[in-house]
Amino acid sequence: YMIFNTYNTFDRKRAEVYFEKLISSGKIIELSEKKKARTLNQNALFHLWVQVIADHVGYTSIENCKRDIKRALLGTKEEASRITGEIQQVDYKTSEMSSSELSSFMDKMKIWAQSDLGCYLPYFGDPGYEEMVKEYRYK
């Protein structure tokens, strides 16, 4: 698949030419709009929260903690290997989530951490947010 930034004049023209080529092929094509990516603030807060949970539960690996949080809340998804064609279970990636998808996931994560782990995760403006940032930002 190809990605075109329609704000860029060159990319817009490339997209038009490529689209015309696809139309003239007579084949069935699929066109989709790229969702707005997660924001840097969301990403930073998500990673702070993972550090808080890792510390709370006793993980030594942030990556393992992040993987287990995603599996606990989202499970895994099926994906076909591009090389072998085999169907395999893979983890969800927050880097592929839109800002609204990540927001929904973080809402679930906050509730889950509090109810299942007894771990408080503040949003910006919540009590304890500034202290969390000071404690975990540069760990």
Side-chain angles (χ1 to χ4, degrees), residues 7-73:
Y7 291 110
N8 178 298
T9 306
F10 176 65
D11 256 13
R12 195 168 43 247
K13 190 62 181 172
R14 284 181 50 230
E16 290 170 2
V17 169
Y18 187 63
F19 190 61
E20 286 300 322
K21 177 183 181 276
L22 292 174
I23 289 173
S24 66
S25 74
K27 296 178 183 175
I28 295 173
I29 61 172
E30 182 177 306
L31 180 67
S32 66
E33 180 181 353
K34 181 103 169 129
K35 295 176 184 173
K36 184 180 176 199
R38 64 195 179 158
T39 68
L40 291 177
N41 287 342
Q42 277 181 311
N43 187 49
L45 182 59
F46 170 69
H47 284 94
L48 275 178
W49 282 5
V50 170
Q51 289 178 323
V52 171
I53 291 173
D55 193 35
H56 183 78
V57 177
Y59 275 87
T60 55
S61 166
I62 298 296
E63 287 305 309
N64 288 348
C65 182
K66 185 171 29 170
R67 178 202 62 216
D68 290 349
I69 291 167
K70 291 185 291 185
R71 286 182 183 174
L73 297 173

Side-chain angles (χ1 to χ4, degrees), residues 105-118:
F105 173 65
M106 289 178 69
D107 288 344
K108 288 177 188 171
M109 183 177 171
K110 179 179 174 66
I111 293 165
W112 168 79
Q114 189 159 330
S115 64
D116 288 26
L117 305 177

Side-chain angles (χ1 to χ4, degrees), residues 62-92:
I62 298 296
E63 287 305 309
N64 288 348
C65 182
K66 185 171 29 170
R67 178 202 62 216
D68 290 349
I69 291 167
K70 291 185 291 185
R71 286 182 183 174
L73 297 173
L74 302 172
T76 57
K77 61 182 176 177
E78 288 187 348
E79 188 175 275
S81 166
R82 291 179 184 248
I83 295 172
T84 66
E86 285 182 33
I87 303 296
Q88 51 199 9
Q89 293 295 316
V90 297
D91 291 313
Y92 285 89

Side-chain angles (χ1 to χ4, degrees), residues 79-137:
E79 188 175 275
S81 166
R82 291 179 184 248
I83 295 172
T84 66
E86 285 182 33
I87 303 296
Q88 51 199 9
Q89 293 295 316
V90 297
D91 291 313
Y92 285 89
K93 296 178 183 175
T94 57
S95 61
E96 295 175 355
M97 292 181 181
S98 68
S99 60
S100 62
E101 289 168 336
L102 185 55
S103 179
S104 175
F105 173 65
M106 289 178 69
D107 288 344
K108 288 177 188 171
M109 183 177 171
K110 179 179 174 66
I111 293 165
W112 168 79
Q114 189 159 330
S115 64
D116 288 26
L117 305 177
C119 182
Y120 176 63
L121 302 175
Y123 277 116
F124 175 77
D126 288 349
Y129 174 83
E130 295 299 330
E131 292 81 359
M132 176 189 68
V133 169
K134 286 178 188 167
E135 175 76 20
Y136 290 97
R137 176 170 280 162

